[in-house]
Amino acid sequence: MSDKPLTGRARADRQPHSLAAWRGLGGYTALTSALKRHSPEAIIAMIEAAGLRGRGGAGFPTASKWRFMRTGAEKAGPGARYLCVNGDETEPGSFKDRLLLEALPHQLIEGAMIAAYAMGATEVIILVRDEYRTGIASLSRAIAEAEAAGLLGRDILGSGFDLTMRVHASAGRYIVGEETALIAALEGERPVPRHRPPYPAVSGLWGRPTTVNNVETLSAVPSIIEHGAEWYQSLSRTEEGGTKLYGISGCVAKPQLIEAPMGTTARELLDLCGGIRNGRKLFAFQPGGGATAFLESADLDVPLDFAHTKKAGSSLGTGAMIVLDDHACPVASIGRHLRFYARESCGLCTPCRDGLPWVAKLLDALEAGKGTQADIDVLHQHVALSGPSGRSYCDLNTGALTPLKSGLERFGDIFTAHLAGHCPVGRA
Ligand SMILES: Cc1cc2nc3c(=O)[nH]c(=O)nc-3n(C[C@H](O)[C@H](O)[C@H](O)COP(=O)(O)O)c2cc1C
């Protein structure tokens, strides 16, 4: 039994398994046991006992989400109910779902099928960003194989359970990953976030009960059903079950994707990546992608799970750890990220549409040695006024301003030093 439920069955060359090969590795036995031996509520209880939390960024307990869907479906009455799989993965630094889509499509399909059975969905739509052409092809082939083998469609494995599944290649954009914008995109509307309530579990895609789950979340499901909640929980170092796909990038010797126990520390991940590149020193890191707050050397031993990372002042996000060394200017790095978020704003609300480009411009000026103290004051004001969650229509704006807020708090002296007309970093 592998201690890597997500990647343990991947081929070394990252090519996808055929259906026959996947079955040879025990594939679809979890589906068989789910449909033949467990009630939907028993499956949800296993997912709860396993401690699985959503891997899309917010870490919402997966079992609770699936229960909301069952309640929503009861209220909505007969008709379609959707499970949308979120493969948008446009967060800077994130490249975890890509591997799961390309190399392990049957694992995702099996996980999505078990989830659909547990929550009562009738159709699964897997939205994948268009740039992931290999993943889209791999998944499409695997769905066709599963359909041909009678694993999808009507009366699956003689259980009476019907399910259809299809892939939707998204035209792309970061905001499409936000769950209500994803639903709008699937409806063919302009992908902008929608007001909640009503929550998707009550009224989502085409007004029907809908759940949105991340690719990594669903890929963990088959192993939990096959080997049990206790086993999955035991893989973790903390209260939060299982393993995590950590993607480490930036100033490390060997940027890479690592499946490790939930709660692995940044120090251990850095060691696995061969340390900081070119023999330099760690300056800071963002543990969960471009929209998470900085941590520093003193935080290297924080267990990287949702609760501990939050306690340390940041968030686990997508587990995409972006590393800066002592020659990497945080003002430049924050500016780069802000230019991305400004470009990706959907334009629906003013703080994000107008605020982010303004902030990006001020950071550009500072980086070019043309900033003023008044600019830094405006950055502080902007973070205080527009940054907190709830001040904009969705969390794109809050996430975009999070590294700026933490940069101003932690490295305020470096921002000020730029007023002298040059970047001080790496000059000592
Ligand atoms: C701006 C923005 C972008 C997001 N992008 C993604 C994404 O690419 N993939 C993803 O799974 N979740 C993304 N999310 C989170 C989703 O809204 C949603 O919480 C997630 O898909 C739920 O899946 P989970 O419960 O399995 O984590 C994004 C959220 C925001 C605010």
Side-chain angles (χ1 to χ4, degrees):
M1 200 185 319
S2 167
D3 59 355
K4 292 190 168 65
L6 292 167
T7 59
R9 288 185 277 181
R11 283 172 47 158
D13 61 4
R14 287 179 63 135
Q15 291 301 306
H17 298 286
S18 64
L19 176 59
W22 183 246
R23 280 185 145 154
L25 293 169
Y28 292 105
T29 51
L31 175 74
T32 309
S33 105
L35 295 185
K36 300 210 160 154
R37 284 195 281 284
H38 301 295
S39 66
E41 183 45 53
I43 291 174
I44 296 180
M46 280 170 88
I47 297 297
E48 187 169 45
L52 183 65
R53 295 178 62 164
R55 306 297 200 236
F60 193 81
T62 303
S64 307
K65 204 176 219 185
W66 295 3
R67 281 205 185 99
F68 292 152
M69 174 79 164
R70 291 193 70 80
T71 312
E74 263 169 42
K75 283 193 191 140
R81 298 175 298 276
Y82 299 100
L83 166 60
C84 299
V85 184
N86 196 338
D88 184 63
E89 189 158 73
T90 313
E91 179 67 35
S94 291
F95 49 95
K96 65 188 181 66
D97 296 340
R98 179 178 179 175
L99 173 78
L100 299 172
L101 290 163
E102 290 181 359
L104 293 151
H106 280 296
Q107 178 170 263
L108 174 60
I109 292 169
E110 190 177 358
M113 290 181 75
I114 296 168
Y117 169 68
M119 72 177 76
T122 57
E123 184 171 350
V124 176
I125 304 173
I126 308 176
L127 180 140
V128 184
R129 61 182 290 180
D130 194 45
E131 293 88 340
Y132 282 3
R133 295 282 167 94
T134 310
I136 291 168
S138 164
L139 204 49
S140 303
R141 262 194 315 270
I143 289 174
E145 280 180 304
E147 281 170 348
L151 288 166
L152 282 167
R154 300 195 74 81
D155 191 22
I156 297 165
L157 300 172
S159 65
F161 175 57
D162 303 335
L163 187 71
T164 59
M165 189 176 291
R166 66 185 168 89
V167 182
H168 177 98
S170 161
R173 288 219 76 170
Y174 175 55
I175 193 63
V176 172
E178 195 282 333
E179 62 178 17
T180 59
L182 180 144
I183 288 169
L186 289 175
E187 289 177 357
E189 300 289 332
R190 181 177 159 209
V192 293
R194 290 179 173 171
H195 192 273
R196 282 174 293 191
Y199 288 92
V202 175
S203 176
L205 190 58
W206 293 296
R208 297 294 305 168
T210 302
T211 291
V212 180
N213 269 136
N214 173 257
V215 167
E216 185 186 347
T217 313
L218 295 170
S219 296
V221 169
S223 289
I224 297 174
I225 303 304
E226 197 179 344
H227 303 300
E230 212 172 297
W231 165 80
Y232 186 75
Q233 181 66 258
S234 75
L235 297 176
S236 164
R237 302 252 187 91
T238 68
E239 301 287 295
E240 296 170 20
T243 59
K244 177 79 195 83
L245 266 181
Y246 296 98
I248 304 98
S249 65
C251 306
V252 291
K254 280 183 282 171
Q256 59 188 293
L257 196 59
I258 297 171
E259 182 178 6
M262 180 63 97
T264 299
T265 66
R267 188 186 302 281
E268 292 166 301
L269 294 175
L270 279 180
D271 282 349
L272 291 168
C273 290
I276 304 295
R277 70 182 178 203
N278 302 329
R280 291 188 178 146
K281 290 199 179 70
L282 174 72
F283 177 74
F285 61 99
Q286 291 169 281
T292 59
F294 290 100
L295 295 177
E296 296 176 75
S297 307
D299 307 303
L300 277 173
D301 296 315
V302 170
L304 295 180
D305 69 1
F306 291 100
H308 286 90
T309 317
K310 187 172 176 198
K311 203 167 157 212
S314 186
S315 48
L316 182 62
T318 58
M321 179 168 149
I322 304 173
V323 179
L324 298 187
D325 69 19
D326 55 355
H327 281 57
C329 173
V331 177
S333 172
I334 294 167
R336 259 195 314 278
H337 282 128
L338 264 157
R339 280 196 293 280
F340 168 82
Y341 293 120
R343 193 187 71 214
E344 293 295 322
S345 169
C346 76
L348 192 63
C349 62
T350 312
C352 188
R353 180 189 60 239
D354 293 339
L356 295 184
W358 187 21
V359 166
K361 211 167 133 190
L362 295 181
L363 286 166
D364 282 350
L366 267 178
E367 202 191 330
K370 293 179 183 154
T372 64
Q373 182 56 48
D375 293 338
I376 296 182
D377 295 344
V378 170
L379 291 178
H380 278 285
Q381 283 164 6
H382 196 85
V383 158
L385 288 171
S386 158
S389 197
R391 299 276 169 89
S392 46
Y393 210 79
C394 80
D395 273 340
L396 190 154
N397 183 65
T398 308
L401 292 173
T402 295
L404 175 61
K405 178 174 186 290
S406 100
L408 287 166
E409 284 164 4
R410 287 182 183 262
F411 324 121
D413 52 334
I414 297 181
F415 281 75
T416 309
H418 278 78
L419 299 179
H422 62 260
C423 171
V425 177
R427 288 177 183 239

